[in-house]
Amino acid sequence: MLPAAAHESVHARSGIVAAPHRLAVEAGRQVLAEGGNAIEAAVAAAATIAVVYPHMNHVGGDGFWLVREPSGRVRYLEACGFAGREATIAHYRDLGLESIPPRGPLAALTVPGAVGGWRLALEAARAHGGRMPLSRLMEEAIRYARQGMPVTASQARLTQEKLDELKGLPGFAAVFLPGGQAPQAGETLRQERLADTLEHLSRAGLGDFYQGDVAREMAADLEHMGSPVRREDLAAFSAREREPLRVKLPQGDVFNAPPPTQGVASLMILGLFSRLQSEGAETFSHVHGLVEATKQAFLVRDKVVCDPERVTMDLGRLLSDADLEARAARIDPRRALRWPHPSQAGDTIWLGAADASGLVVSYIQSIFFEFGSGCVLPSIGVLMQNRGASFSLDSRALNALAPGRRPFHTLNPALAVLKDGRVIGYGTMGGEGQPQTQAAVFTRHVQFGVPLGEAIARPRWLLGRTWGAPETRLRLESRFEEGLVERLEAAGHDLVVLPEAYSDTMGHAGAVVLHARGGLEGAHDPRADGGAAGI
């Protein structure tokens, strides 16, 4: 089955996968076709997209999983790394720094967790009959890394836009600037050292990334380039299972990731909006209500979300009926709350998979900024994330830097178990846009009955930032009706209409659905380079 066109969903009987790159979609579909389950398909897609969409994610990043099992249980797998043992405030202060650099070796200060998440996810897959060998799941990723893959338009554009800040960083030019120039869209890009690494892991096991030959080479490269991460940090890391967050809505239960992610904000937005009056999709009450719910949720988020060991607030109380009712009462249905507020950046991919057994996967993988830290480890070809740049060098700050702490994450996969029997795994990339886009897609599709593909493709908005220059205004794509824009301005929203009809600024959303009476559905964003495919 071919990937869906824009505005359309793919329907399938046995398995479905959706992702922002067509090669990752096909890698997951092949696994399903060969008898693999949804978790195995998601791992294959995750490994492949780390190769073919390197500006958005890579092997040197983090990942977060929500898995709904056939029994109805929803599991949360957390694969985010902590700050290295040399990552102290004193170390950065001694270097004369007032903040953590967003690029370079000093930005590559956390252990990459994604591979550990793949490993933990495959343990869960085996509990549900998964028998696919790791070498098969890594096969497409290895092939595209070694033989090359076509550069997407977004990778070409972002390489050129960020060229001045990336070209001089360790290892970047050798891999991502063939011939010393930013690649053109469609040009073949090879990552041969990464292919060697993935091939080795496919034979030795994913644990080798943290405690074997790959870990040894990674640690040596990191220390040589000046990163605070050491081999002992790699050996101490493992992905872990924790309880997901949940909010009860009239339509059913929605799950998301706990701190250090902003999942609580995503759930709060839906909980608050469910208590407001709305006339339907894309009406003033819909857009205004979600924007104002976002403001309330972000105000709470920035006071509570940090390393899980340091969270003092009862998150269950924040998602309780009483607390949500009280906060919803603060939202004026006619006037916008004054803004701005500090924003968070982020580049990410979301992918999902589901199968007829009842497994539904919502997964998100990221290196933070486009191309992360910009540092490629020469021995293993891994591009390191810069997630640790969100730490503060102020010891009094909520997210103050310290060895062993996990940084604030914009990443948050979502999964809904509805009263009508549907199970929906959904999510998006896009920094602060993630909770907002999740809310737009959910309310359109679940609350207002907009078809899945159309709910994803319809025009979107963003309060805050995804990447690029800091922005505090409310941004809207150009396809919104002029009358709505005028009403939002009259209500006090400081906004700008973007020239693009489908803007990368709004992120790349997707969803997979397990229907109550059997059958699967999937769709992905026309703003991305992927789609959905099934068997």
Side-chain angles (χ1 to χ4, degrees):
M1 187 178 297
L2 295 175
H7 300 226
E8 295 179 358
S9 294
V10 163
H11 294 267
R13 297 186 63 84
S14 299
I16 194 83
V17 60
H21 196 291
R22 60 180 179 81
L23 297 179
V25 173
E26 179 58 18
R29 190 202 65 80
Q30 288 178 15
V31 167
L32 291 170
E34 294 169 20
N37 63 32
I39 302 175
E40 292 173 316
V43 170
T48 301
I49 205 164
V51 173
V52 302
Y53 231 36
H55 54 307
M56 294 294 178
N57 76 130
H58 210 274
V59 177
D62 286 340
F64 299 86
W65 298 76
L66 284 174
V67 179
R68 187 267 190 180
E69 298 181 325
S71 66
R73 177 189 180 194
V74 176
R75 300 175 65 182
Y76 165 63
L77 311 180
E78 183 178 87
C80 60
F82 45 76
R85 61 183 51 210
E86 302 296 326
T88 64
I89 291 175
H91 176 64
Y92 284 81
R93 294 293 192 194
D94 288 346
L95 295 172
L97 297 171
E98 296 297 320
S99 61
I100 296 172
R103 303 287 195 186
L106 291 173
L109 63 91
T110 59
V111 174
V115 173
W118 301 351
R119 186 184 189 191
L120 186 58
L122 290 178
E123 291 179 11
R126 285 190 288 273
H128 296 282
R131 297 293 182 270
M132 297 284 283
L134 179 62
S135 58
R136 176 64 190 92
L137 299 180
M138 297 290 108
E139 187 174 308
E140 295 301 289
I142 294 168
R143 179 161 73 92
Y144 291 122
R146 192 172 304 286
Q147 298 180 9
M149 51 80 182
V151 172
T152 61
S154 63
Q155 181 183 339
R157 177 176 58 80
L158 284 166
T159 305
Q160 186 62 52
E161 287 180 7
K162 305 297 178 181
L163 187 60
D164 288 344
E165 61 190 80
L166 292 170
K167 63 184 179 182
L169 296 175
F172 185 84
V175 175
F176 296 114
L177 300 178
Q181 303 293 324
Q184 298 296 310
E187 185 175 338
T188 298
L189 185 71
R190 294 176 176 85
Q191 301 174 70
E192 295 178 1
R193 292 304 299 144
L194 178 60
D196 293 338
T197 297
L198 293 174
E199 194 165 34
H200 177 83
L201 291 174
S202 74
R203 296 192 303 265
L206 297 175
D208 194 90
F209 192 82
Y210 299 100
Q211 297 181 327
D213 294 338
V214 173
R216 182 187 66 250
E217 298 296 326
M218 187 181 345
D221 284 349
L222 287 167
E223 185 170 4
H224 178 74
M225 69 172 52
S227 164
V229 175
R230 298 291 177 264
R231 189 172 184 183
E232 294 83 356
D233 300 315
L234 299 173
F237 176 80
S238 62
R240 58 187 182 175
E241 181 171 354
R242 297 174 58 212
E243 283 297 311
L245 295 179
R246 178 175 64 174
V247 67
K248 291 184 175 295
L249 302 178
Q251 299 84 9
D253 293 348
V254 182
F255 297 84
N256 214 302
T261 84
Q262 62 176 341
V264 65
S266 294
L267 297 183
M268 284 186 68
I269 293 169
L270 291 177
L272 292 169
F273 184 76
S274 71
R275 288 159 170 80
L276 306 178
Q277 297 295 318
S278 180
E279 300 152 355
E282 282 75 72
T283 61
F284 171 80
S285 58
H286 181 212
V287 178
H288 172 78
L290 284 177
V291 171
E292 295 306 296
T294 296
K295 293 175 182 177
Q296 293 293 328
F298 282 1
L299 289 171
V300 173
R301 176 199 67 182
D302 293 344
K303 294 178 182 177
V304 303
V305 176
C306 58
D307 181 280
E309 307 304 320
R310 306 185 70 225
V311 173
T312 58
M313 177 70 71
D314 179 356
L315 299 178
R317 185 171 68 80
L318 290 176
L319 298 171
S320 68
D321 288 341
D323 203 87
L324 291 170
E325 289 283 358
R327 294 186 190 280
R330 303 175 189 175
I331 296 175
D332 189 324
R334 293 174 295 276
R335 295 294 303 173
L337 179 70
R338 291 187 64 185
W339 208 249
H341 190 66
S343 60
Q344 303 290 336
D347 283 314
T348 305
I349 64 93
W350 175 91
L351 61 86
D355 63 40
S357 77
L359 277 172
V360 180
V361 176
S362 180
Y363 177 59
I364 199 158
Q365 185 167 277
S366 175
I367 49 173
F368 202 23
F369 286 14
E370 58 284 297
F371 292 107
S373 68
C375 299
V376 181
L377 306 183
S379 299
I380 61 173
V382 168
L383 174 64
M384 288 290 292
Q385 66 184 354
N386 65 329
R387 184 61 61 175
S390 62
F391 280 122
S392 171
L393 296 183
D394 181 349
S395 61
R396 300 164 297 179
L398 180 64
N399 280 287
L401 176 65
R405 284 185 184 168
R406 289 171 169 82
F408 173 91
H409 268 272
T410 51
L411 309 185
N412 62 114
L415 190 145
V417 179
L418 303 181
K419 292 178 180 178
D420 63 14
R422 285 179 294 168
V423 180
I424 306 176
Y426 65 103
T428 183
M429 51 77 82
E432 294 216 317
Q434 289 187 38
Q436 300 175 65
T437 294
Q438 284 185 19
V441 172
F442 182 91
T443 54
R444 283 169 173 164
H445 181 57
V446 176
Q447 189 165 340
F448 301 132
V450 177
L452 183 64
E454 185 181 343
I456 292 169
R458 281 190 181 186
R460 295 208 290 263
W461 61 89
L462 171 68
L463 180 73
R465 136 179 208 186
T466 52
W467 59 56
E471 176 64 75
T472 58
R473 290 176 296 176
L474 176 65
R475 286 171 285 175
L476 296 91
E477 288 180 321
S478 62
R479 291 175 291 138
F480 282 103
E481 293 183 2
E482 185 176 341
L484 173 61
V485 174
E486 291 175 350
R487 285 198 66 188
L488 291 169
E489 288 181 315
H493 290 280
D494 182 14
L495 61 80
V496 59
V497 177
L498 301 177
E500 303 96 341
Y502 296 89
S503 173
D504 270 345
T505 299
M506 300 299 159
H508 301 158
V512 293
V513 182
L514 173 66
H515 287 282
R517 296 185 178 180
L520 301 156
E521 183 180 2
H524 208 278
D525 210 317
R527 299 165 183 84
D529 300 282
I535 58 169

